[in-house]
Amino acid sequence: MKVLSIGGVSLLFFGISYIAGTYLKIEKTAFAFLTLASLLIPVTFVGIGYFQLFGEWLSLFGEGKYILGVIATLICFPLYTWIAIQNKNRLFIWLSLFTLTVMTGFVLAALYVPIDVFYFGMIIYNGLLLAGYHYYKSDQRVMNFTQELPLFTQANLIISTLLMLVFFQNHLLYSVNILLTAVMYIAIVFVYNRKEFHIVFSLLFVYGMYQLLENTFLQPLNYLGFALIGIIYILLEDRIADGFLKKVFRVTSGIVSGLAFLYISFEGLVVRADEKSIVYY
């Protein structure tokens, strides 16, 4: 009865919204009731899961809880998208994008993949959003969505990055995820023209390379890898036309190469003075 009451109120608000907009021509009132009705749908699914109306397995605490989340978001996402298109409303555009992100998270969680694979999937998802913006930013049919994508993607990627830096299990996947995230940030620099993100790219790239070279099967070649990091920035400088970024990557290359030299020298002369290494020399 509690769930039916919430669902019934949601349907009632949908009805009031339709009457207010179609017959009474009160647009603001119609939209207000439409907003309340649509926001009650996730609450209804939470109630269904809490009271186990779909069974113990498909409940908030059952093994199928992520499937329940997928079902809820599959219903909410097209609804929020339709409302956003019909009303050209920024709130529902963000709700649509947020619901899509949550749905992606539920799909990955439903597969019970390791946490590193989960964040790998979220990075790929952020990359697809970036690609979608690049290819459809001039499409008038989705212009309202593409205008919001730069800010949404940046916020989304920042949250994913912070969580990934805290929670990880496998060093190899962790380093790959960090490097892919660095690629996403440099893509933001060029696609969204947000030059300040080159700082995040540089920090994540160096950190990701360190994790890859120090904690994986590439550890025997770590000195060689550290020495080559600066060259990658030189290659980036050679490939871009922007004068500011060329200067930034040139300076970054010098700083990274200098730090690599100091690190290799310290390791070779102090920590591993008695070890013979062809790679070091």
Side-chain angles (χ1 to χ4, degrees), residues 45-219:
F45 274 97
V46 170
I48 290 172
Y50 181 79
F51 293 111
Q52 301 182 3
L53 299 185
F54 289 164
E56 184 179 351
W57 187 81
L58 202 62
S59 67
L60 286 184
F61 308 104
E63 294 183 4
K65 56 187 175 183
Y66 300 124
I67 301 297
L68 180 64
V70 172
I71 295 172
T73 50
L74 277 174
I75 292 175
C76 292
F77 176 67
L79 175 64
Y80 293 161
T81 303
W82 178 79
I83 295 174
I85 293 173
Q86 292 295 316
N87 295 274
K88 297 180 180 180
N89 183 266
R90 191 178 184 186
L91 170 64
F92 277 96
I93 291 173
W94 274 76
L95 278 176
S96 302
L97 295 172
F98 177 75
T99 304
L100 181 61
T101 298
V102 174
M103 182 169 62
T104 304
F106 275 133
V107 170
L108 291 170
L111 299 174
Y112 288 96
V113 296
I115 192 168
D116 299 288
V117 178
F118 175 84
Y119 285 118
F120 177 79
M122 294 304 296
I123 292 170
I124 298 299
Y125 164 73
N126 282 299
L128 292 174
L129 288 180
L130 196 64
Y133 173 82
H134 178 71
Y135 287 107
Y136 295 103
K137 60 183 177 181
S138 300
D139 192 330
Q140 294 296 326
R141 295 171 297 178
V142 291
M143 183 67 73
N144 292 325
F145 285 87
T146 54
Q147 288 177 344
E148 300 296 332
L149 265 181
L151 184 59
F152 179 81
T153 306
Q154 292 164 36
N156 217 23
L157 190 57
I158 289 170
I159 293 172
S160 300
T161 303
L162 292 175
L163 291 174
M164 183 174 56
L165 291 172
V166 177
F167 304 105
F168 74 95
Q169 294 173 340
N170 183 284
H171 280 286
L172 178 59
L173 280 174
Y174 177 59
S175 56
V176 170
N177 284 342
I178 292 293
L179 291 173
L180 282 177
T181 306
V183 172
M184 290 297 102
Y185 279 108
I186 196 63
I188 286 176
V189 171
F190 294 111
V191 175
Y192 296 154
N193 196 30
R194 298 296 300 271
K195 297 181 181 180
E196 65 272 16
F197 277 97
H198 76 272
I199 300 174
V200 185
F201 160 74
S202 297
L203 293 174
L204 285 180
F205 181 74
V206 172
Y207 178 64
M209 288 297 294
Y210 173 81
Q211 289 290 336
L212 183 67
L213 294 169
E214 281 291 314
N215 299 296
T216 67
F217 63 92
L218 295 175
Q219 200 276 333

